[in-house]
Amino acid sequence: METTSTSTRINRNNTPFSLISRGWKEVRDSADADLQLMRSRANSFKNLANSFDREIENFFNSASIASFSVPSPLKSSTSPDFVKKLRPTFSEIRRAYSAPEISKKVLEKWGPRATLGIDLSAIKNAIVAWEVDEERRWAVGLDRRRKLGFREFWGEGKEGGGGKFGEWKPIRVLKRRLREFEKKSEFGEIFGGLKNSEFVEKLKSSLKAIHKEPQESKEVPPLDVPELLAYLVRQSEPFLDQLGVRKDVCDKIVESLCSSRKNQLLLPSPSSGESTLLDENANDELDLRIASVLQSTGHCNDGGFWTDLSRHHPSDGKRHVAIVTTASLPWMTGTAVNPLFRAAYLAKSEKQNVTLLVPWLCKSDQELVYPNNLTFTSPEEQENYIRNWLEERIGFKADFKISFYPGKFAKERRSIIPAGDTSQFIPSKDADIAILEEPEHLNWYHHGKRWTNKFNHVVGVVHTNYLEYIKREKNGALQAFFVKHINNLVTRAYCHKVLRLSAATQDLPKSVICNVHGVNPKFLKIGEKVATERELGQQAFSKGAYFLGKMVWAKGYKELIDLLAKHKNDLDGFNLDVFGNGEDANEVQTTAKRLDLNLNFLKGRDHADDSLHGYKVFINPSLSDVLCTATAEALAMGKFVVCADHPSNEYFRSFPNCLTYKTSEDFVARVKEALANEPHPLTPEQIYNLSWEAATQRFMQSSELDRILDPEKDDVQLRKTNGKSITKAVSMPNMSEMVDGGLAFAHYCLTGNELLRLCTGAIPGTRDYDKQHCKDLHLLPPQVENPIYGW
């Protein structure tokens, strides 16, 4: 029993906490001893001063007595005078230092209850600060001790023996205790099974809980009235746009309101502590300013009634891009060809998985749309056709997925309308980034999941100037008015970003202008061949001018016939070959024959056909195009292009072979100039700008996909303040998002009513796909797929 008691007492005394407490006790004892020594030395100095005062007093007294008792003539004549002169001086000194205020200061300095000449409160504060610093160093040091060991961490064995924190006696004592703790903790377990590493972690967390780092001041000045008004204008842009107030006007108002505060909109730099100005752009300044204020209050926007901030997070580490378009090969239209190339070149980088979602038409619709009576019995057959066509032109195997959604062909609109909810054909696990080719077209009658709720980022690419086409129809002005506002609604509700190929399109919300289309590599090879032939002195062009396009009045045929009819005499002997098929072919040819124009109508063909290589001049007078693909292809083949001075041709003006005209007289002059001269050879830079590699790079930048697909740039942060990031998306409640959500909900309700759909021109029965689509695409009936309709 005695042995057990002794062992228990030894173990209790050898616990780590007892070792540490004993170390700190010796530190305190040593500090008390030092203070006591300083106090005793101060008392001795005080006694010495009192003794000196008494000696001076005795000296004066003895001098006075001697002056009367010594009869020597010398002393009687000199000593009294010396004492008389010296006594007043010492009296003044004593009187000055015996003043009440001096006595008080002396007592404060030398009194028995004072700090004895040394400010002990300062020493106390220094000790407290040292203890705090020691705890901080413990939190860092114990973590290093796990890797280095206590001997290496404290610097034992190094030259000078100073170690990490010097050789002050309390530190040496603490180091010795820690070495003892290390020796004891090397054997087995302590505290009933906790190993040394676990104890260190617990001690580390305890020290962190006891002492917290003093945080820098995060006080942010509140918003003032001009800033609140500027934010109100920013958030009211959708409403003001409907009233006719343009976005640039709103931006100027915001800039003027923020200008008065621009010098005050400063944020402390996290590294240097200096103030740095916000971005020059007033919108970015306002966003960051509001985000910093909201963050200082701890506010976080978790979404609203209309918005769902839950987002898809890819599990395989790769992002998923879904490209949804309104047409498919073999229909040779821009919305069938360009999205196909975009999918191929996005997949070429192998940084993301790509899916191309194209419409599937039943056989009856295929016969109306696809040329040469070409039809497909299954989606797999059409997919093989698409891949073969693509690989013949790009020269590499594109690794991306092709999927189909149900669609129906509208004869009056000459376009394909989606049937049912298109978004459901992208699985939720792949719902990451969506690229909507012609977003207004895809969403006119969209009745399903909101794109921006299902996908993290939605980009719309506007291909067609629908307003220009509609104005040419009966009651076109009224129809264009309604279509304009519907386009605004659907793009606001279903897109985060909208790209317009040129300024010829409608000015849509959230939009920027950028040409994100390239040229089929086959045309660039034709251009290289032509350049080589010209370098060898061969004649590359043996034919004159031609025009190629779908034969409908809106594709430039009306403008072409008007120009040629007006200047028939000026262009005497000028012949133009026209290639195209279309609904208005008979009417166009009849009109040209009636006006006796020198037009030779030929069957439509691929622009890369060998029969077109010898033409030198491509004429395109169309004013309805957004960005004419045929114009880019002609430039890539090294030809002259004569086109109108129109926003749709703005991108091509930088090419020397592009000749633009403003008037009909200019048209005649440009045609004669092109026929009389040889085209300029393309430079390497011009060839690159026409390629799909350059177009893909422009697309990534303008759509912000380069930031989103880059893990280091994802979840973009406006700026870092006080070492903490400010993210606009989660910090600021956005009234625009609330408006967009309300518009999306209203659109969902309206498109769910079959009567309203028919009144606005929808194809009957397109709210859901039909039985033939179920059979072709192997789908469940819509009643089974979506038994309950909900938001």
Side-chain angles (χ1 to χ4, degrees):
M1 179 66 68
E2 183 179 357
T3 303
T4 304
S5 176
T6 304
S7 176
T8 302
R9 184 168 59 256
I10 292 174
N11 292 336
R12 186 182 301 111
N13 294 334
N14 290 336
T15 58
F17 286 116
S18 63
L19 293 173
I20 294 175
S21 61
R22 284 160 51 192
W24 285 111
K25 182 177 180 182
E26 293 189 14
V27 171
R28 289 195 299 270
D29 293 342
S30 177
D32 291 341
D34 291 339
L35 294 176
Q36 186 64 32
L37 178 61
M38 288 186 289
R39 187 178 293 108
S40 61
R41 289 180 179 177
N43 289 331
S44 63
F45 184 75
K46 178 181 178 183
N47 295 333
L48 181 62
N50 293 334
S51 176
F52 177 76
D53 194 27
R54 287 194 297 271
E55 290 294 333
I56 292 294
E57 187 69 27
N58 293 334
F59 172 74
F60 288 147
N61 295 333
S62 61
S64 301
I65 296 172
S67 62
F68 294 100
S69 60
V70 179
S72 172
L74 178 63
K75 291 183 180 181
S76 61
S77 61
T78 58
S79 295
D81 295 337
F82 168 75
V83 172
K84 290 179 182 178
K85 293 180 179 179
L86 187 63
R87 180 182 293 273
T89 303
F90 277 97
S91 299
E92 292 177 1
I93 294 174
R94 294 182 61 187
R95 193 163 47 249
Y97 278 89
S98 62
E101 59 274 9
I102 299 299
S103 300
K104 183 178 180 181
K105 292 182 180 180
V106 172
L107 289 175
E108 289 176 355
K109 293 289 183 179
W110 302 104
R113 296 182 182 180
T115 57
L116 303 179
I118 301 177
D119 191 356
L120 296 183
S121 62
I123 296 177
K124 179 181 179 182
N125 294 336
I127 293 175
V128 172
W130 175 82
E131 291 176 353
V132 172
D133 186 65
E134 285 301 308
E135 291 180 0
R136 186 185 302 111
R137 293 182 181 181
W138 263 103
V140 177
L142 287 177
D143 187 49
R144 292 184 57 196
R145 183 263 171 269
R146 298 173 61 185
K147 300 180 180 178
L148 304 178
F150 277 111
R151 289 185 176 87
E152 184 178 356
F153 175 75
W154 289 108
E156 185 177 354
K158 295 181 181 179
E159 293 182 6
K164 178 80 175 174
F165 300 108
E167 288 298 330
W168 190 36
K169 181 178 178 181
I171 300 300
R172 290 199 302 271
V173 173
L174 188 59
K175 285 163 60 176
R176 185 175 69 253
R177 292 299 181 186
L178 289 173
R179 284 195 293 269
E180 293 177 2
F181 165 65
E182 182 188 22
K183 292 179 182 179
K184 289 180 172 54
S185 61
E186 287 177 353
F187 302 97
E189 299 179 352
I190 59 175
F191 290 109
L194 291 176
K195 294 188 180 297
N196 186 29
S197 60
E198 296 175 309
F199 167 73
V200 169
E201 291 295 334
K202 288 182 176 291
L203 180 60
K204 183 178 176 181
S205 60
S206 300
L207 290 174
K208 287 183 178 180
I210 295 172
H211 172 68
K212 295 183 179 180
E213 290 287 342
Q215 298 183 354
E216 298 180 2
S217 176
K218 299 182 179 179
E219 183 178 354
V220 178
L223 297 173
D224 57 12
V225 175
E227 290 172 331
L228 292 173
L229 291 177
Y231 188 65
L232 178 62
V233 173
R234 279 282 310 282
Q235 299 302 319
S236 302
E237 284 182 3
F239 176 72
L240 296 175
D241 180 65
Q242 300 298 325
L243 296 180
V245 180
R246 296 176 59 85
K247 186 178 184 300
D248 54 351
V249 176
C250 296
D251 291 340
K252 289 181 180 179
I253 296 175
V254 172
E255 185 177 0
S256 62
L257 289 172
C258 293
S259 60
S260 60
R261 283 276 298 174
K262 188 170 184 179
N263 294 332
Q264 301 177 13
L265 292 179
L266 300 174
L267 293 176
S269 173
S271 59
S272 62
E274 297 178 356
S275 296
T276 57
L277 275 174
L278 302 180
D279 297 338
E280 294 181 358
N281 187 283
N283 291 334
D284 292 341
E285 291 179 357
L286 185 61
D287 288 342
L288 182 57
R289 170 78 173 125
I290 294 174
S292 62
V293 173
L294 292 175
Q295 190 180 55
S296 67
T297 63
H299 173 80
C300 183
N301 181 28
D302 295 326
F305 183 75
W306 309 118
T307 57
D308 179 13
L309 294 185
S310 61
R311 290 292 183 261
H312 164 74
H313 299 283
S315 58
D316 56 358
K318 292 185 69 175
R319 306 303 294 266
H320 297 263
V321 178
I323 302 176
V324 188
T325 187
T326 57
S328 176
L329 295 179
W331 190 11
M332 297 299 296
T333 183
T335 52
V337 175
N338 291 308
L340 180 61
F341 282 112
R342 195 183 328 279
Y345 281 88
L346 282 176
K348 185 178 180 181
S349 65
E350 298 182 354
K351 294 181 179 180
Q352 58 275 332
N353 297 322
V354 179
T355 299
L356 177 64
L357 188 62
V358 298
W360 167 259
L361 299 178
C362 299
K363 190 172 182 179
S364 58
D365 284 338
Q366 293 181 29
E367 295 173 350
L368 297 174
V369 178
Y370 299 152
N372 303 322
N373 296 322
L374 185 61
T375 59
F376 306 97
T377 58
S378 67
E380 292 77 15
E381 184 181 354
Q382 186 173 1
E383 180 180 349
N384 291 333
Y385 176 89
I386 294 172
R387 292 190 183 278
N388 293 334
W389 184 94
L390 178 65
E391 291 178 5
E392 289 176 0
R393 287 157 176 79
I394 62 177
F396 62 88
K397 187 175 180 61
D399 184 15
F400 64 94
K401 180 181 178 182
I402 297 179
S403 300
F404 294 84
Y405 69 87
K408 289 189 176 183
F409 181 67
K411 297 180 182 179
E412 298 78 9
R413 297 179 181 270
R414 298 168 182 167
S415 58
I416 298 175
I417 303 298
D421 180 11
T422 309
S423 65
Q424 76 179 75
F425 296 94
I426 300 295
S428 297
K429 63 183 181 64
D430 297 335
D432 185 12
I433 298 170
I435 301 173
L436 306 184
E437 310 281 352
E438 292 197 317
E440 67 276 54
H441 183 162
L442 282 170
N443 293 296
W444 279 334
Y445 305 106
H446 176 71
H447 182 71
K449 184 75 173 179
R450 185 183 176 193
W451 295 95
T452 51
N453 282 352
K454 183 170 183 177
F455 292 84
N456 296 327
H457 190 66
V458 182
V459 180
V461 182
V462 179
H463 291 248
T464 308
N465 188 0
Y466 288 106
L467 299 184
E468 185 65 28
Y469 288 110
I470 293 173
K471 289 177 182 178
R472 299 170 185 260
E473 299 178 359
K474 186 179 179 180
N475 299 323
L478 181 61
Q479 294 185 57
F481 173 80
F482 287 108
V483 172
K484 175 183 176 181
H485 290 280
I486 291 174
N487 290 346
N488 281 334
L489 186 152
V490 295
T491 52
R492 283 198 65 89
Y494 297 118
C495 295
H496 293 118
K497 194 83 173 180
V498 178
L499 305 182
R500 298 160 55 200
L501 298 179
S502 72
T505 58
Q506 177 184 342
D507 187 7
L508 295 169
K510 308 177 184 178
S511 66
V512 295
I513 297 174
C514 183
N515 174 22
V516 294
H517 287 176
V519 173
N520 186 335
K522 191 173 183 179
F523 294 100
L524 295 174
K525 293 180 180 178
I526 295 172
E528 293 176 359
K529 180 182 177 182
V530 170
T532 302
E533 292 176 353
R534 294 180 61 183
E535 289 178 358
L536 297 176
Q538 301 177 6
Q539 184 179 4
F541 303 110
S542 59
K543 301 178 183 180
Y546 74 106
F547 175 62
L548 180 143
K550 186 177 181 181
M551 200 168 291
V552 293
W553 285 113
K555 283 293 186 179
Y557 285 89
K558 182 179 184 301
E559 290 82 2
L560 178 64
I561 290 178
D562 289 343
L563 288 169
L564 295 178
K566 184 176 181 180
H567 296 280
K568 183 165 49 173
N569 296 330
D570 297 331
L571 294 171
D572 187 25
F574 172 71
N575 295 313
L576 182 67
D577 293 338
V578 179
F579 298 87
N581 302 319
E583 296 83 354
D584 299 332
N586 293 332
E587 188 176 351
V588 171
Q589 294 177 21
T590 302
T591 303
K593 186 176 181 180
R594 178 171 53 85
L595 295 174
D596 193 22
L597 301 178
N598 294 326
L599 296 178
N600 182 26
F601 291 96
L602 301 170
K603 190 176 182 179
R605 62 197 66 183
D606 192 334
H607 204 178
D609 191 84
D610 293 340
S611 61
L612 300 177
H613 294 178
Y615 287 96
K616 184 171 66 171
V617 182
F618 175 71
I619 295 179
N620 180 21
S622 175
L623 299 178
S624 63
D625 288 328
V626 173
L627 186 79
C628 184
T629 304
T631 299
E633 293 169 349
L635 290 172
M637 291 188 287
K639 304 177 186 294
F640 273 125
V641 173
V642 178
C643 57
D645 186 4
H646 188 260
S648 62
N649 299 317
E650 181 67 29
Y651 181 78
F652 305 121
R653 289 180 183 176
S654 60
F655 294 84
N657 291 335
C658 181
L659 308 177
T660 60
Y661 62 90
K662 294 183 178 180
T663 63
S664 60
E665 290 76 14
D666 289 342
F667 170 76
V668 175
R670 295 294 180 267
V671 170
K672 291 181 178 181
E673 178 185 351
L675 293 174
N677 298 285
E678 289 296 321
H680 300 276
L682 293 177
T683 64
E685 181 181 0
Q686 292 169 349
I687 294 174
Y688 176 75
N689 289 336
L690 289 172
S691 68
W692 264 104
E693 286 83 0
T696 303
Q697 184 179 8
R698 293 193 298 267
F699 175 81
M700 296 290 288
Q701 293 175 351
S702 58
S703 65
E704 300 179 357
L705 285 186
D706 58 340
R707 170 183 60 80
I708 295 173
L709 294 176
D710 189 344
E712 296 180 357
K713 298 179 181 179
D714 194 10
D715 225 3
V716 67
Q717 297 167 349
L718 293 179
R719 197 181 298 270
K720 288 190 174 182
T721 307
N722 291 330
K724 190 173 182 180
S725 61
I726 297 177
T727 304
K728 178 170 64 174
V730 298
S731 297
M732 293 187 296
N734 199 324
M735 189 181 298
S736 295
E737 293 179 359
M738 298 173 60
V739 173
D740 296 346
L743 292 175
F745 180 75
H747 182 261
Y748 176 84
C749 296
L750 294 175
T751 55
N753 187 289
E754 186 67 20
L755 179 61
L756 292 176
R757 293 173 65 92
L758 295 177
C759 292
T760 54
I763 301 175
T766 54
R767 192 182 72 171
D768 298 309
Y769 46 84
D770 56 22
K771 294 181 180 180
Q772 187 61 43
H773 286 130
C774 294
K775 181 179 179 180
D776 294 342
L777 297 175
H778 307 290
L779 301 174
L780 293 174
Q783 296 81 6
V784 178
E785 186 74 26
N786 300 305
I788 300 176
Y789 290 91
W791 181 246

